Amino acid sequence: MSDFKKIKIRIINLGFNNTFSIFQAFKSLGCKVELSNKISKKNFDLLILPGVGSFVEGMNSLKKQNFDNYIKDYVHANKKILGICLGMQLFFSESSEFKKTKGLNLIEGKVKKIPLKENTIPHIGWSKIKKMKENNLFKNDNDFFYFVHSYYCEPKNKDTILTNT
């Protein structure tokens, strides 16, 4: 765990996202964690964009605080970023949630509503994932993850898909 103490993390706080639990998780690992609702030139190892809420609200908040350009510049400088829940969805080109809305376009593709099948929306609970190809993020096939969502991300480049549920 001592390696985690060297990691400096910045969590973007848009005022409505799930920052507290993410802050506490990384803090418990010994990381140096900072919550911020302002653009900063400080150096850090990982930028995290968490999210709860709608795609439209998320993009509007990013643009209002000019975090959209900040995130794009950060990624184009080949720095590490993690999107959690809505945060990851915002990386995509667009979403159809409520109305067609352009995203950050860091990943070409669309965020789409899960097709309604026998009242499975929203998808809530523990589900197994299946590795689509070998990768460093998901070491075991059929691991369980907890899901709470009604939308899924569909990248244009299908080779980027690591797992499936």
Side-chain angles (χ1 to χ4, degrees), residues 17-18 28 36 39 43 60 69 75-76 93 99 101 103 106 123-124 135-136 154 165:
N17 44 12
N18 54 344
S28 73
S36 184
I39 292 174
N43 287 328
N60 286 342
N69 292 322
V75 170
H76 289 107
S93 305
K99 64 179 184 174
T101 306
L106 300 173
H123 173 207
I124 299 175
N135 62 79
N136 292 329
E154 184 176 80
T165 56

mmCIF file with all atom_site columns, all heavy atoms in Angstrom, residues 17-18 28 36 39 43 60 69 75-76 93 99 101 103 106 123-124 135-136 154 165:
data_model
loop_
_atom_site.group_PDB
_atom_site.id
_atom_site.type_symbol
_atom_site.label_atom_id
_atom_site.label_alt_id
_atom_site.label_comp_id
_atom_site.label_asym_id
_atom_site.label_entity_id
_atom_site.label_seq_id
_atom_site.pdbx_PDB_ins_code
_atom_site.Cartn_x
_atom_site.Cartn_y
_atom_site.Cartn_z
_atom_site.occupancy
_atom_site.B_iso_or_equiv
_atom_site.pdbx_formal_charge
_atom_site.auth_seq_id
_atom_site.auth_comp_id
_atom_site.auth_asym_id
_atom_site.auth_atom_id
_atom_site.pdbx_PDB_model_num
ATOM 1   N N   . ASN A 1 17  ? -22.128 15.569 -7.994  1.00 0.00 ? 17  ASN A N   1
ATOM 2   C CA  . ASN A 1 17  ? -21.624 14.217 -8.226  1.00 0.00 ? 17  ASN A CA  1
ATOM 3   C C   . ASN A 1 17  ? -21.180 13.553 -6.918  1.00 0.00 ? 17  ASN A C   1
ATOM 4   O O   . ASN A 1 17  ? -21.137 14.189 -5.873  1.00 0.00 ? 17  ASN A O   1
ATOM 5   C CB  . ASN A 1 17  ? -20.517 14.209 -9.282  1.00 0.00 ? 17  ASN A CB  1
ATOM 6   C CG  . ASN A 1 17  ? -19.505 15.314 -9.126  1.00 0.00 ? 17  ASN A CG  1
ATOM 7   O OD1 . ASN A 1 17  ? -19.456 15.988 -8.118  1.00 0.00 ? 17  ASN A OD1 1
ATOM 8   N ND2 . ASN A 1 17  ? -18.690 15.518 -10.126 1.00 0.00 ? 17  ASN A ND2 1
ATOM 9   N N   . ASN A 1 18  ? -20.889 12.276 -6.987  1.00 0.00 ? 18  ASN A N   1
ATOM 10  C CA  . ASN A 1 18  ? -20.614 11.446 -5.814  1.00 0.00 ? 18  ASN A CA  1
ATOM 11  C C   . ASN A 1 18  ? -19.155 11.528 -5.363  1.00 0.00 ? 18  ASN A C   1
ATOM 12  O O   . ASN A 1 18  ? -18.456 10.536 -5.303  1.00 0.00 ? 18  ASN A O   1
ATOM 13  C CB  . ASN A 1 18  ? -21.015 9.997  -6.092  1.00 0.00 ? 18  ASN A CB  1
ATOM 14  C CG  . ASN A 1 18  ? -20.358 9.452  -7.346  1.00 0.00 ? 18  ASN A CG  1
ATOM 15  O OD1 . ASN A 1 18  ? -19.851 10.202 -8.178  1.00 0.00 ? 18  ASN A OD1 1
ATOM 16  N ND2 . ASN A 1 18  ? -20.352 8.150  -7.497  1.00 0.00 ? 18  ASN A ND2 1
ATOM 17  N N   . SER A 1 28  ? -8.398  6.404  1.980   1.00 0.00 ? 28  SER A N   1
ATOM 18  C CA  . SER A 1 28  ? -8.155  5.214  2.799   1.00 0.00 ? 28  SER A CA  1
ATOM 19  C C   . SER A 1 28  ? -6.990  4.380  2.261   1.00 0.00 ? 28  SER A C   1
ATOM 20  O O   . SER A 1 28  ? -6.370  3.623  3.004   1.00 0.00 ? 28  SER A O   1
ATOM 21  C CB  . SER A 1 28  ? -9.413  4.352  2.913   1.00 0.00 ? 28  SER A CB  1
ATOM 22  O OG  . SER A 1 28  ? -9.663  3.683  1.692   1.00 0.00 ? 28  SER A OG  1
ATOM 23  N N   . SER A 1 36  ? -11.925 19.523 -6.078  1.00 0.00 ? 36  SER A N   1
ATOM 24  C CA  . SER A 1 36  ? -11.828 20.875 -6.614  1.00 0.00 ? 36  SER A CA  1
ATOM 25  C C   . SER A 1 36  ? -12.991 21.198 -7.535  1.00 0.00 ? 36  SER A C   1
ATOM 26  O O   . SER A 1 36  ? -13.413 20.379 -8.337  1.00 0.00 ? 36  SER A O   1
ATOM 27  C CB  . SER A 1 36  ? -10.515 21.043 -7.382  1.00 0.00 ? 36  SER A CB  1
ATOM 28  O OG  . SER A 1 36  ? -10.394 22.374 -7.825  1.00 0.00 ? 36  SER A OG  1
ATOM 29  N N   . ILE A 1 39  ? -10.546 25.201 -11.827 1.00 0.00 ? 39  ILE A N   1
ATOM 30  C CA  . ILE A 1 39  ? -9.413  24.769 -12.644 1.00 0.00 ? 39  ILE A CA  1
ATOM 31  C C   . ILE A 1 39  ? -8.125  25.182 -11.940 1.00 0.00 ? 39  ILE A C   1
ATOM 32  O O   . ILE A 1 39  ? -8.019  26.281 -11.410 1.00 0.00 ? 39  ILE A O   1
ATOM 33  C CB  . ILE A 1 39  ? -9.518  25.390 -14.057 1.00 0.00 ? 39  ILE A CB  1
ATOM 34  C CG1 . ILE A 1 39  ? -10.715 24.768 -14.780 1.00 0.00 ? 39  ILE A CG1 1
ATOM 35  C CG2 . ILE A 1 39  ? -8.235  25.200 -14.832 1.00 0.00 ? 39  ILE A CG2 1
ATOM 36  C CD1 . ILE A 1 39  ? -11.033 25.378 -16.103 1.00 0.00 ? 39  ILE A CD1 1
ATOM 37  N N   . ASN A 1 43  ? 0.108   20.067 -10.264 1.00 0.00 ? 43  ASN A N   1
ATOM 38  C CA  . ASN A 1 43  ? 0.437   18.762 -10.832 1.00 0.00 ? 43  ASN A CA  1
ATOM 39  C C   . ASN A 1 43  ? -0.195  17.657 -9.989  1.00 0.00 ? 43  ASN A C   1
ATOM 40  O O   . ASN A 1 43  ? -0.177  17.730 -8.763  1.00 0.00 ? 43  ASN A O   1
ATOM 41  C CB  . ASN A 1 43  ? 1.953   18.558 -10.879 1.00 0.00 ? 43  ASN A CB  1
ATOM 42  C CG  . ASN A 1 43  ? 2.593   19.400 -11.953 1.00 0.00 ? 43  ASN A CG  1
ATOM 43  O OD1 . ASN A 1 43  ? 1.992   19.664 -12.984 1.00 0.00 ? 43  ASN A OD1 1
ATOM 44  N ND2 . ASN A 1 43  ? 3.821   19.822 -11.710 1.00 0.00 ? 43  ASN A ND2 1
ATOM 45  N N   . ASN A 1 60  ? -23.620 20.495 -19.158 1.00 0.00 ? 60  ASN A N   1
ATOM 46  C CA  . ASN A 1 60  ? -23.865 21.913 -18.876 1.00 0.00 ? 60  ASN A CA  1
ATOM 47  C C   . ASN A 1 60  ? -22.964 22.415 -17.753 1.00 0.00 ? 60  ASN A C   1
ATOM 48  O O   . ASN A 1 60  ? -22.408 23.513 -17.840 1.00 0.00 ? 60  ASN A O   1
ATOM 49  C CB  . ASN A 1 60  ? -25.331 22.156 -18.530 1.00 0.00 ? 60  ASN A CB  1
ATOM 50  C CG  . ASN A 1 60  ? -26.232 22.093 -19.746 1.00 0.00 ? 60  ASN A CG  1
ATOM 51  O OD1 . ASN A 1 60  ? -25.776 22.193 -20.892 1.00 0.00 ? 60  ASN A OD1 1
ATOM 52  N ND2 . ASN A 1 60  ? -27.512 21.896 -19.519 1.00 0.00 ? 60  ASN A ND2 1
ATOM 53  N N   . ASN A 1 69  ? -13.035 22.075 -21.604 1.00 0.00 ? 69  ASN A N   1
ATOM 54  C CA  . ASN A 1 69  ? -11.758 22.332 -22.273 1.00 0.00 ? 69  ASN A CA  1
ATOM 55  C C   . ASN A 1 69  ? -10.568 21.890 -21.422 1.00 0.00 ? 69  ASN A C   1
ATOM 56  O O   . ASN A 1 69  ? -9.580  21.372 -21.935 1.00 0.00 ? 69  ASN A O   1
ATOM 57  C CB  . ASN A 1 69  ? -11.628 23.810 -22.639 1.00 0.00 ? 69  ASN A CB  1
ATOM 58  C CG  . ASN A 1 69  ? -12.621 24.186 -23.709 1.00 0.00 ? 69  ASN A CG  1
ATOM 59  O OD1 . ASN A 1 69  ? -12.887 23.422 -24.630 1.00 0.00 ? 69  ASN A OD1 1
ATOM 60  N ND2 . ASN A 1 69  ? -13.210 25.364 -23.585 1.00 0.00 ? 69  ASN A ND2 1
ATOM 61  N N   . VAL A 1 75  ? -6.305  15.396 -21.217 1.00 0.00 ? 75  VAL A N   1
ATOM 62  C CA  . VAL A 1 75  ? -6.231  14.105 -21.906 1.00 0.00 ? 75  VAL A CA  1
ATOM 63  C C   . VAL A 1 75  ? -5.296  14.187 -23.109 1.00 0.00 ? 75  VAL A C   1
ATOM 64  O O   . VAL A 1 75  ? -4.500  13.274 -23.343 1.00 0.00 ? 75  VAL A O   1
ATOM 65  C CB  . VAL A 1 75  ? -7.642  13.627 -22.333 1.00 0.00 ? 75  VAL A CB  1
ATOM 66  C CG1 . VAL A 1 75  ? -7.574  12.430 -23.253 1.00 0.00 ? 75  VAL A CG1 1
ATOM 67  C CG2 . VAL A 1 75  ? -8.474  13.297 -21.099 1.00 0.00 ? 75  VAL A CG2 1
ATOM 68  N N   . HIS A 1 76  ? -5.345  15.277 -23.856 1.00 0.00 ? 76  HIS A N   1
ATOM 69  C CA  . HIS A 1 76  ? -4.471  15.423 -25.027 1.00 0.00 ? 76  HIS A CA  1
ATOM 70  C C   . HIS A 1 76  ? -2.998  15.561 -24.640 1.00 0.00 ? 76  HIS A C   1
ATOM 71  O O   . HIS A 1 76  ? -2.125  15.373 -25.474 1.00 0.00 ? 76  HIS A O   1
ATOM 72  C CB  . HIS A 1 76  ? -4.945  16.577 -25.908 1.00 0.00 ? 76  HIS A CB  1
ATOM 73  C CG  . HIS A 1 76  ? -6.222  16.247 -26.623 1.00 0.00 ? 76  HIS A CG  1
ATOM 74  N ND1 . HIS A 1 76  ? -7.424  16.815 -26.267 1.00 0.00 ? 76  HIS A ND1 1
ATOM 75  C CD2 . HIS A 1 76  ? -6.501  15.377 -27.612 1.00 0.00 ? 76  HIS A CD2 1
ATOM 76  C CE1 . HIS A 1 76  ? -8.379  16.305 -27.027 1.00 0.00 ? 76  HIS A CE1 1
ATOM 77  N NE2 . HIS A 1 76  ? -7.851  15.434 -27.845 1.00 0.00 ? 76  HIS A NE2 1
ATOM 78  N N   . SER A 1 93  ? -18.933 10.786 -27.376 1.00 0.00 ? 93  SER A N   1
ATOM 79  C CA  . SER A 1 93  ? -19.296 11.838 -28.341 1.00 0.00 ? 93  SER A CA  1
ATOM 80  C C   . SER A 1 93  ? -20.660 12.430 -28.065 1.00 0.00 ? 93  SER A C   1
ATOM 81  O O   . SER A 1 93  ? -20.855 13.641 -28.194 1.00 0.00 ? 93  SER A O   1
ATOM 82  C CB  . SER A 1 93  ? -19.279 11.283 -29.766 1.00 0.00 ? 93  SER A CB  1
ATOM 83  O OG  . SER A 1 93  ? -18.044 10.691 -30.059 1.00 0.00 ? 93  SER A OG  1
ATOM 84  N N   . LYS A 1 99  ? -32.457 14.258 -24.392 1.00 0.00 ? 99  LYS A N   1
ATOM 85  C CA  . LYS A 1 99  ? -32.334 14.826 -25.740 1.00 0.00 ? 99  LYS A CA  1
ATOM 86  C C   . LYS A 1 99  ? -30.907 14.585 -26.216 1.00 0.00 ? 99  LYS A C   1
ATOM 87  O O   . LYS A 1 99  ? -30.004 14.366 -25.415 1.00 0.00 ? 99  LYS A O   1
ATOM 88  C CB  . LYS A 1 99  ? -32.657 16.319 -25.739 1.00 0.00 ? 99  LYS A CB  1
ATOM 89  C CG  . LYS A 1 99  ? -31.692 17.171 -24.933 1.00 0.00 ? 99  LYS A CG  1
ATOM 90  C CD  . LYS A 1 99  ? -32.054 18.630 -24.989 1.00 0.00 ? 99  LYS A CD  1
ATOM 91  C CE  . LYS A 1 99  ? -31.002 19.468 -24.257 1.00 0.00 ? 99  LYS A CE  1
ATOM 92  N NZ  . LYS A 1 99  ? -31.256 20.889 -24.409 1.00 0.00 ? 99  LYS A NZ  1
ATOM 93  N N   . THR A 1 101 ? -27.372 15.102 -26.887 1.00 0.00 ? 101 THR A N   1
ATOM 94  C CA  . THR A 1 101 ? -26.443 16.058 -26.288 1.00 0.00 ? 101 THR A CA  1
ATOM 95  C C   . THR A 1 101 ? -25.026 15.637 -26.616 1.00 0.00 ? 101 THR A C   1
ATOM 96  O O   . THR A 1 101 ? -24.664 14.472 -26.475 1.00 0.00 ? 101 THR A O   1
ATOM 97  C CB  . THR A 1 101 ? -26.626 16.088 -24.751 1.00 0.00 ? 101 THR A CB  1
ATOM 98  O OG1 . THR A 1 101 ? -27.992 16.344 -24.441 1.00 0.00 ? 101 THR A OG1 1
ATOM 99  C CG2 . THR A 1 101 ? -25.757 17.152 -24.112 1.00 0.00 ? 101 THR A CG2 1
ATOM 100 N N   . GLY A 1 103 ? -21.105 15.201 -26.075 1.00 0.00 ? 103 GLY A N   1
ATOM 101 C CA  . GLY A 1 103 ? -20.227 14.983 -24.934 1.00 0.00 ? 103 GLY A CA  1
ATOM 102 C C   . GLY A 1 103 ? -18.842 15.540 -25.199 1.00 0.00 ? 103 GLY A C   1
ATOM 103 O O   . GLY A 1 103 ? -18.643 16.362 -26.099 1.00 0.00 ? 103 GLY A O   1
ATOM 104 N N   . LEU A 1 106 ? -14.005 12.381 -26.176 1.00 0.00 ? 106 LEU A N   1
ATOM 105 C CA  . LEU A 1 106 ? -12.700 11.767 -25.932 1.00 0.00 ? 106 LEU A CA  1
ATOM 106 C C   . LEU A 1 106 ? -12.706 10.330 -26.426 1.00 0.00 ? 106 LEU A C   1
ATOM 107 O O   . LEU A 1 106 ? -11.657 9.781  -26.758 1.00 0.00 ? 106 LEU A O   1
ATOM 108 C CB  . LEU A 1 106 ? -12.364 11.804 -24.440 1.00 0.00 ? 106 LEU A CB  1
ATOM 109 C CG  . LEU A 1 106 ? -12.282 13.200 -23.817 1.00 0.00 ? 106 LEU A CG  1
ATOM 110 C CD1 . LEU A 1 106 ? -12.128 13.101 -22.318 1.00 0.00 ? 106 LEU A CD1 1
ATOM 111 C CD2 . LEU A 1 106 ? -11.153 14.000 -24.446 1.00 0.00 ? 106 LEU A CD2 1
ATOM 112 N N   . HIS A 1 123 ? -31.004 -1.071 -14.476 1.00 0.00 ? 123 HIS A N   1
ATOM 113 C CA  . HIS A 1 123 ? -30.241 -2.269 -14.122 1.00 0.00 ? 123 HIS A CA  1
ATOM 114 C C   . HIS A 1 123 ? -29.619 -1.996 -12.753 1.00 0.00 ? 123 HIS A C   1
ATOM 115 O O   . HIS A 1 123 ? -28.725 -1.177 -12.629 1.00 0.00 ? 123 HIS A O   1
ATOM 116 C CB  . HIS A 1 123 ? -29.178 -2.515 -15.189 1.00 0.00 ? 123 HIS A CB  1
ATOM 117 C CG  . HIS A 1 123 ? -28.228 -3.616 -14.858 1.00 0.00 ? 123 HIS A CG  1
ATOM 118 N ND1 . HIS A 1 123 ? -26.960 -3.650 -15.358 1.00 0.00 ? 123 HIS A ND1 1
ATOM 119 C CD2 . HIS A 1 123 ? -28.340 -4.718 -14.084 1.00 0.00 ? 123 HIS A CD2 1
ATOM 120 C CE1 . HIS A 1 123 ? -26.325 -4.723 -14.932 1.00 0.00 ? 123 HIS A CE1 1
ATOM 121 N NE2 . HIS A 1 123 ? -27.144 -5.380 -14.142 1.00 0.00 ? 123 HIS A NE2 1
ATOM 122 N N   . ILE A 1 124 ? -30.138 -2.671 -11.736 1.00 0.00 ? 124 ILE A N   1
ATOM 123 C CA  . ILE A 1 124 ? -29.646 -2.478 -10.374 1.00 0.00 ? 124 ILE A CA  1
ATOM 124 C C   . ILE A 1 124 ? -29.279 -3.835 -9.793  1.00 0.00 ? 124 ILE A C   1
ATOM 125 O O   . ILE A 1 124 ? -30.061 -4.779 -9.858  1.00 0.00 ? 124 ILE A O   1
ATOM 126 C CB  . ILE A 1 124 ? -30.714 -1.823 -9.461  1.00 0.00 ? 124 ILE A CB  1
ATOM 127 C CG1 . ILE A 1 124 ? -31.094 -0.442 -9.991  1.00 0.00 ? 124 ILE A CG1 1
ATOM 128 C CG2 . ILE A 1 124 ? -30.205 -1.719 -8.021  1.00 0.00 ? 124 ILE A CG2 1
ATOM 129 C CD1 . ILE A 1 124 ? -32.217 0.207  -9.222  1.00 0.00 ? 124 ILE A CD1 1
ATOM 130 N N   . ASN A 1 135 ? -6.764  -8.117 -20.405 1.00 0.00 ? 135 ASN A N   1
ATOM 131 C CA  . ASN A 1 135 ? -6.433  -6.747 -20.064 1.00 0.00 ? 135 ASN A CA  1
ATOM 132 C C   . ASN A 1 135 ? -5.957  -6.714 -18.615 1.00 0.00 ? 135 ASN A C   1
ATOM 133 O O   . ASN A 1 135 ? -6.121  -7.673 -17.880 1.00 0.00 ? 135 ASN A O   1
ATOM 134 C CB  . ASN A 1 135 ? -7.645  -5.834 -20.292 1.00 0.00 ? 135 ASN A CB  1
ATOM 135 C CG  . ASN A 1 135 ? -8.808  -6.211 -19.412 1.00 0.00 ? 135 ASN A CG  1
ATOM 136 O OD1 . ASN A 1 135 ? -8.827  -5.880 -18.240 1.00 0.00 ? 135 ASN A OD1 1
ATOM 137 N ND2 . ASN A 1 135 ? -9.787  -6.917 -19.968 1.00 0.00 ? 135 ASN A ND2 1
ATOM 138 N N   . ASN A 1 136 ? -5.368  -5.591 -18.208 1.00 0.00 ? 136 ASN A N   1
ATOM 139 C CA  . ASN A 1 136 ? -4.845  -5.446 -16.847 1.00 0.00 ? 136 ASN A CA  1
ATOM 140 C C   . ASN A 1 136 ? -5.888  -4.991 -15.841 1.00 0.00 ? 136 ASN A C   1
ATOM 141 O O   . ASN A 1 136 ? -5.655  -5.066 -14.646 1.00 0.00 ? 136 ASN A O   1
ATOM 142 C CB  . ASN A 1 136 ? -3.676  -4.453 -16.833 1.00 0.00 ? 136 ASN A CB  1
ATOM 143 C CG  . ASN A 1 136 ? -2.471  -5.011 -17.553 1.00 0.00 ? 136 ASN A CG  1
ATOM 144 O OD1 . ASN A 1 136 ? -2.253  -6.216 -17.555 1.00 0.00 ? 136 ASN A OD1 1
ATOM 145 N ND2 . ASN A 1 136 ? -1.697  -4.149 -18.174 1.00 0.00 ? 136 ASN A ND2 1
ATOM 146 N N   . GLU A 1 154 ? -21.585 2.792  -26.037 1.00 0.00 ? 154 GLU A N   1
ATOM 147 C CA  . GLU A 1 154 ? -21.276 2.011  -27.238 1.00 0.00 ? 154 GLU A CA  1
ATOM 148 C C   . GLU A 1 154 ? -20.193 2.736  -28.024 1.00 0.00 ? 154 GLU A C   1
ATOM 149 O O   . GLU A 1 154 ? -20.467 3.678  -28.771 1.00 0.00 ? 154 GLU A O   1
ATOM 150 C CB  . GLU A 1 154 ? -22.536 1.849  -28.089 1.00 0.00 ? 154 GLU A CB  1
ATOM 151 C CG  . GLU A 1 154 ? -22.320 0.972  -29.301 1.00 0.00 ? 154 GLU A CG  1
ATOM 152 C CD  . GLU A 1 154 ? -23.606 0.755  -30.071 1.00 0.00 ? 154 GLU A CD  1
ATOM 153 O OE1 . GLU A 1 154 ? -23.984 1.666  -30.830 1.00 0.00 ? 154 GLU A OE1 1
ATOM 154 O OE2 . GLU A 1 154 ? -24.218 -0.303 -29.874 1.00 0.00 ? 154 GLU A OE2 1
ATOM 155 N N   . THR A 1 165 ? -21.566 -7.594 -19.830 1.00 0.00 ? 165 THR A N   1
ATOM 156 C CA  . THR A 1 165 ? -22.372 -8.169 -18.737 1.00 0.00 ? 165 THR A CA  1
ATOM 157 C C   . THR A 1 165 ? -23.363 -9.151 -19.289 1.00 0.00 ? 165 THR A C   1
ATOM 158 O O   . THR A 1 165 ? -23.668 -9.157 -20.449 1.00 0.00 ? 165 THR A O   1
ATOM 159 C CB  . THR A 1 165 ? -23.136 -7.080 -17.967 1.00 0.00 ? 165 THR A CB  1
ATOM 160 O OG1 . THR A 1 165 ? -23.924 -6.342 -18.889 1.00 0.00 ? 165 THR A OG1 1
ATOM 161 C CG2 . THR A 1 165 ? -22.201 -6.197 -17.221 1.00 0.00 ? 165 THR A CG2 1
#
